[in-house]
Amino acid sequence: AEQIRIALEDERQKSSLLSSAIDKLSSHQKEIMFLKFSNGLNYEEIAVVMKIDIASARTLLYRTLKQIKLQLNNLRERAAR
């Protein structure tokens, strides 16, 4: 039972960190995350919806994921202190 509580708390903490990182994204970054991961659109479909070219859609998603990764690392480091 204790291990389950620890695992649940760990998941809550991860979810909170991810929410904090997503909150810091621009509206375009949030939109591309929603389109890709909630709606499952491919890059061509994202480009049409966002009115950008496919290369821009790829670049925006790459940079957004990179930013989230950096923010999560920073938040984890602060939480460990």
Side-chain angles (χ1 to χ4, degrees):
E2 183 66 22
Q3 289 177 336
I4 293 172
R5 277 186 238 135
I6 291 170
L8 287 172
E9 181 57 33
D10 188 47
E11 287 301 313
R12 280 190 213 115
Q13 190 174 31
K14 287 178 184 176
S15 179
S16 176
L17 289 173
L18 183 57
S19 290
S20 294
I22 290 172
D23 285 344
K24 294 176 183 169
L25 297 176
S26 72
S27 59
H28 264 83
Q29 291 172 314
K30 288 177 185 175
E31 181 179 13
I32 199 163
M33 293 288 291
F34 177 76
L35 294 172
K36 181 68 175 170
F37 298 109
S38 292
N39 291 346
L41 300 185
N42 63 36
Y43 291 110
E44 185 176 341
E45 293 166 327
I46 290 170
V48 170
V49 171
M50 294 185 73
K51 298 179 180 150
I52 57 177
D53 59 53
I54 296 170
S56 295
R58 288 180 188 273
T59 301
L60 179 58
L61 184 61
Y62 171 79
R63 290 180 180 165
T64 300
L65 293 173
K66 185 176 176 182
Q67 181 178 334
I68 288 173
K69 183 178 177 180
L70 288 172
Q71 289 175 0
L72 288 174
N73 288 337
N74 290 339
L75 290 168
R76 281 190 195 118
E77 288 174 8
R78 283 189 224 147
R81 292 181 193 164

